[in-house]
Amino acid sequence: MWVAWACAFGLPMRARAQGPVAEGLPSDDPWLETVQAPHEVRLIDDDTAALENVLRMIGRARRTMELEYFIFEPDRAGRLVLQALVARADAGVKIRILIDLNPHEMEPGLDAYERDELARHGIELRYFNVVDPMRFWEMGFRDHRKLLVVDDEEMLEGGRNIADGYFGMSGHMNYLDRDIWIKGPIARTAVRGFDRFWEAPVVESPRATEEPVFVRRASSAAASSSKGRTRAQDEAYYEARREAFKGCQAAARETLVPRQADLELRRRVAERGGVELDGSPVVAVHSITLAVDTPTPGEAGRIVTPYLHRRLA
């Protein structure tokens, strides 16, 4: 969890932030820092405008991008985001994606097949807190952060994950959320926090997929295997696994290639979302505090709640 606290929103400023304060240049503390320098800020409530904003930010990237989400699904909205990321990666932008394993489903939205395809374009993907289901007491420590940073210059945080339900596109359930877009030096603080999550012990890279291998035994074709199958049954089982593997590979690869439906959806998002986004005001903010919980389980790693208690007091 984290929160950006901006003076421009009419919040009380008598209780100053307890973290370090810098005049335009961030300090060494990515968990709790106040930067007193000019920033541009925009609040985004409209769901289509929110997706348009994400896609525009990705399109503006020239050097680096960091993305961190609890949920990242390769659905309609996710396809647009992934295709935009691949386009920038192919143009030389270094991109890192950190997503939670999402223990409710016991698998991430972006699986190892997507990881392999993204890696072909130079995009790195890692998972937060991969836990053995038998160690259920460790499963509650999740990464609910939502973050997009472009070129260390602009950042997006808020309540939206990358999935249809966060952009008004789900036929089942759509959420009401808010994003805050910020342009200014506080973005460098967010990147340093991302770096510490990226290298944390609870974060790991997914294993590369491996095509099934058929091991030929010296026994006769009619002989039973150790699992009670004949050679012919073993071969049929292998072919089925191999076909399933190839199918998953093809599906992951297809997700990254714009199809006609994707192009039409992108046009609609640009038209409607662009009007809403361009109509939302950008305000000037001269002091922003970024408070971020750490990738350490337990109360010792909590930063946001104690900070908010101090501010409210």
Side-chain angles (χ1 to χ4, degrees), residues 79-98:
R79 287 176 64 96
L80 293 188
V81 173
L82 288 169
Q83 291 162 10
L85 290 172
V86 165
R88 298 314 304 146
D90 290 346
V93 177
K94 178 183 177 181
I95 300 174
R96 295 179 292 169
I97 304 174
L98 174 59

Side-chain angles (χ1 to χ4, degrees), residues 70 99-103 106-108 127-131 142:
F70 178 59
I99 59 174
D100 193 270
L101 187 65
N102 193 1
M106 294 311 301
E107 62 181 21
Y127 295 151
F128 183 91
N129 199 21
V130 180
V131 180
R142 310 310 331 159

Side-chain angles (χ1 to χ4, degrees), residues 127-313:
Y127 295 151
F128 183 91
N129 199 21
V130 180
V131 180
D132 184 338
M134 298 302 293
R135 301 177 63 85
F136 60 88
W137 57 90
E138 296 179 354
M139 294 176 62
F141 184 47
R142 310 310 331 159
D143 184 356
H144 277 274
R145 288 157 39 107
K146 291 89 177 177
L147 172 69
L148 168 60
V149 186
V150 172
D151 292 339
D152 292 0
E153 296 174 352
E154 57 178 310
M155 61 179 287
L156 182 72
E157 64 170 71
R160 291 184 177 91
N161 289 290
I162 303 297
D164 286 352
Y166 296 90
F167 300 107
M169 297 169 56
S170 172
H172 172 63
M173 179 181 292
N174 289 294
Y175 301 94
L176 295 177
D177 276 302
R178 164 174 287 172
D179 286 340
I180 177 172
W181 171 83
I182 304 171
K183 183 177 182 180
I186 198 69
R188 296 200 293 274
T189 303
V191 172
R192 286 200 307 280
F194 177 91
D195 288 341
R196 296 196 185 184
F197 267 77
W198 186 257
E199 300 296 340
V202 293
V203 169
E204 62 183 72
S205 300
R207 296 178 180 177
T209 58
E210 295 182 0
E211 184 172 348
V213 176
F214 181 73
V215 179
R216 297 185 180 277
R217 298 187 305 277
S219 57
S220 65
S224 297
S225 71
S226 59
K227 294 184 179 181
R229 294 191 298 262
T230 65
R231 173 72 65 82
Q233 289 172 326
D234 280 344
E235 291 178 347
Y237 177 65
Y238 160 72
E239 287 299 331
R241 291 173 57 220
R242 183 172 178 273
E243 287 302 312
F245 175 85
K246 294 293 186 182
C248 290
Q249 274 190 328
R253 189 174 298 117
E254 184 270 341
T255 299
L256 305 183
V257 179
R259 57 191 180 188
Q260 187 59 40
D262 299 325
L263 298 175
E264 177 60 23
L265 176 60
R266 180 68 190 95
R267 183 189 64 78
R268 295 199 304 269
V269 170
E271 288 180 356
R272 183 190 177 283
V275 171
E276 294 289 340
L277 183 62
D278 294 338
S280 62
V282 174
V283 299
V285 173
H286 299 283
S287 178
I288 291 184
T289 294
L290 185 65
V292 186
D293 282 340
T294 76
T296 304
E299 290 301 315
R302 305 286 73 79
I303 302 296
V304 174
T305 299
Y307 169 71
L308 290 178
H309 284 171
R310 290 199 300 269
R311 292 300 299 262
L312 292 172

Side-chain angles (χ1 to χ4, degrees), residues 7-38:
C7 305
F9 305 147
L11 301 176
M13 292 306 297
R14 289 183 298 171
R16 301 300 299 176
Q18 300 301 307
V21 177
E23 293 292 344
L25 295 176
S27 69
D28 294 327
D29 186 357
W31 311 127
L32 179 58
E33 178 177 32
T34 296
V35 175
Q36 294 180 345

